[in-house]
Amino acid sequence: MTDKKTCDSCSDASCSSKTQLPGEKLDQFIERQQLMRRLCEIKHKIMVLSGKGGVGKSTVAVNLAVTLAREGKTVGLLDVDIHGPSIPRLLNLEDSRVEGTGEALLPVPFDGNLKVMSIGFLLQGRDAAVIWRGPMKYGVIKQFLKDVEWGKLDYLIVDSPPGTGDEPLSVCQLIQDPAGAVIVTTPQELALLDVRKSITFCRQLNVPVLGVIENMSGFVCPKCGELTNIFDSGGAERMAKEMNVPFLGRIPIDPALVLACDAGTPFAAFHAETETAKAFRRAIRPILDRERGADPARDSAETVVLETRREEDKNMTRIAIPVAQGRLSAHFGHCEEFALIDADLDAKIIRGKEMVAAPEHQPGLLPKWLAERGANVIIAGGMGMRAQSLFTEQNIAVVVGAPAEEPDAIAQKYVAGTLTTGTNICDH
Ligand code: ADP
């Protein structure tokens, strides 16, 4: 038996699984306890919803799960999209067999910290769910949530059925205390209308909306990786503002994403340096920040650091270095992240460093973005003349032709006055 934890030995006296509810039959009570026992081992349950099918909900669910797993979190990916369970196809797991322990189903291990379970593993044929009546669907979803033995997880990403009907309703009701929902849409006005319904649906059920993702927003050229807006994009961001929910970013239409899905190689893991994978990393940032926000000890430690920093600010120079794979990125406009290194140039010492995920690529954005983050100097491999003058307008000094070394080494040499630079390799 894999299930060692029991509600009887749990010390949480306020948990509703301790007592039978008025009117609840004994078998219903036992079933509810089993469900709560499974789910209470999971710290954050996040539902991925969409107003309608085909907007990329499952693709986003897979890549959010993979991105969280790559951040070192233990993650479960649960596909309860009863009419179109596509996770087995997206991860090339269609031939996987689910192991059981008698009373529990074991999720399929995938890519390090990630485990996967899909209702698709259990359906006899692709059309099996179509013939089920409403109560049967509810029963299947409940049994499925109750019987999967995840063990301890940081995150469970639940790929829910689309729309705002009975099936997503069952999922929201059965998942106790969800951390919230991520809602996926496409930029088209019709899809946005459906998202408004999804947000209202979450509000009615008291499920916090963690944010909206605009998928298939712009096109990534398979040759050069450049992002082009072919349709109007930005509608989801405006709508999120109007409805007062966070906007988690745009995911472009990326042919490589489809190929990766077909090959069962989750995009965010195998193409980590692309704009699309970066968009997924940006999307999870506010979700991880919420988790961090729940840690007051860490927050107060950071306040002390900030206050000390304010005192030292007067002599501080903030050096920005574009980084990809741990080293200075030659193409600063397409880097993964920036090292922001604080140095006292008079004392020739480095006082601190933070790594910040790069913003979505938009021409002309970076100088302002880095100025807002207090940068005074940017050290780059290559940079075009236009970009150099935009940095200068923001009072950021530009150093080009720096070697592709680790940012700490570059900053130390810069501070010591020993950084040697070569040719500006940028040709545009
Ligand atoms: P849903 O779960 O909303 O029904 P899926 O995730 O199954 O949608 O995606 C539908 C189709 O669109 C799939 O073939 C998937 O590969 C493709 N797709 C989803 N997002 C993107 C994207 N950003 N770029 C390219 N293709 C995508």
Side-chain angles (χ1 to χ4, degrees), residues 216-233:
M216 308 201 206
S217 173
F219 176 71
V220 171
C221 170
K223 288 205 174 118
C224 70
E226 190 73 36
L227 178 67
T228 316
N229 282 325
I230 42 177
F231 301 117
D232 184 27
S233 67

Side-chain angles (χ1 to χ4, degrees), residues 50 52-60 81 84 86 89-90 159 215-217 251-255 257-258 261-262 276:
S50 65
K52 59 180 189 140
V55 297
K57 172 178 56 62
S58 303
T59 306
V60 169
D81 189 348
S86 49
R89 179 178 53 79
L90 292 175
D159 184 10
N215 187 32
M216 308 201 206
S217 173
I251 312 290
I253 300 173
D254 191 339
L257 194 58
V258 183
C261 287
D262 289 348
T276 309

